[in-house]
Amino acid sequence: MREHPRCEVPAWLAAKNRNWPVAGVLAALATTTRISGLFLAAAITAECVLARDDRRGRRRWRSLPWCAVPAVPATAYTVYLHANTGDWTAWKHAQERGWHRDFHTPAEAFRNTWRNAFDHLQTTGYAWEFQLELAATAFGVLLLFFLLLRRRWPEAVYIGLNLPSPRERT
């Protein structure tokens, strides 16, 4: 399945410019192909909640429903899968059966990634990929702390939600 052409950055820029309808629709397009579009939606929601949209510094809560638009594709797909399989968690079960992927705690995912990176379980090329994942995760943790210190809440939401996703392969 082809991804939509990079909707994430335009969605984020629309949110920073307080254009909530455009941000919501573009984030929904991002969500149609990748579940991480919901992480973007959470960050956009944080941006919307924290935004002061008028000259007096008041918040406009009527913009908030646009932040729910990105949940529509994921919800529609879940309903579609349930209608065809009778299983509300069909997506998760397909991941388990087809790709041998299962949900793990962040600690388990870290241990699995570490083992695949350094315990000679993989060929050199694959071990290098796992080592890069560990480096990217370390960078993400540092970036998250930096964003929290700078009180960049929406950005911290996005990075924080993306962090606990090292490979689950064992």
Side-chain angles (χ1 to χ4, degrees), residues 5 10 66:
W66 286 106

Side-chain angles (χ1 to χ4, degrees), residues 90-153:
W91 179 81
K92 178 183 178 295
H93 294 142
Q95 290 281 317
E96 292 167 352
R97 285 189 302 270
W99 291 275
H100 307 289
R101 293 177 62 116
D102 197 359
F103 290 105
H104 297 279
T105 66
E108 289 173 314
F110 179 80
R111 275 194 304 275
N112 290 340
T113 304
W114 186 271
R115 280 195 359 241
N116 281 292
F118 298 112
D119 288 352
H120 306 289
L121 300 175
Q122 303 289 334
T123 63
T124 304
Y126 287 118
W128 178 245
E129 287 180 30
F130 286 98
Q131 292 165 4
L132 285 175
E133 278 192 43
L134 289 169
T137 301
F139 178 77
V141 169
L142 290 174
L143 178 59
L144 177 62
F145 283 121
F146 174 77
L147 291 169
L148 291 172
L149 287 172
R150 302 277 307 204
R151 298 177 186 215
R152 302 291 303 259
W153 309 122

Side-chain angles (χ1 to χ4, degrees), residues 34-117:
R34 300 194 57 88
I35 198 68
S36 60
L38 291 176
F39 303 160
L40 173 65
I44 288 173
T45 301
E47 181 72 25
C48 185
V49 167
L50 296 171
R52 299 187 186 277
D53 285 339
D54 67 5
R55 294 183 191 268
R56 294 186 211 159
R58 291 186 300 196
R59 292 184 176 100
R60 290 195 181 148
W61 296 107
R62 65 185 157 183
S63 301
L64 202 54
W66 286 106
C67 298
V69 172
V72 171
T75 303
Y77 187 58
T78 300
V79 170
Y80 167 80
L81 288 176
H82 180 264
N84 286 292
T85 66
D87 182 5
W88 285 108
T89 57
W91 179 81
K92 178 183 178 295
H93 294 142
Q95 290 281 317
E96 292 167 352
R97 285 189 302 270
W99 291 275
H100 307 289
R101 293 177 62 116
D102 197 359
F103 290 105
H104 297 279
T105 66
E108 289 173 314
F110 179 80
R111 275 194 304 275
N112 290 340
T113 304
W114 186 271
R115 280 195 359 241
N116 281 292

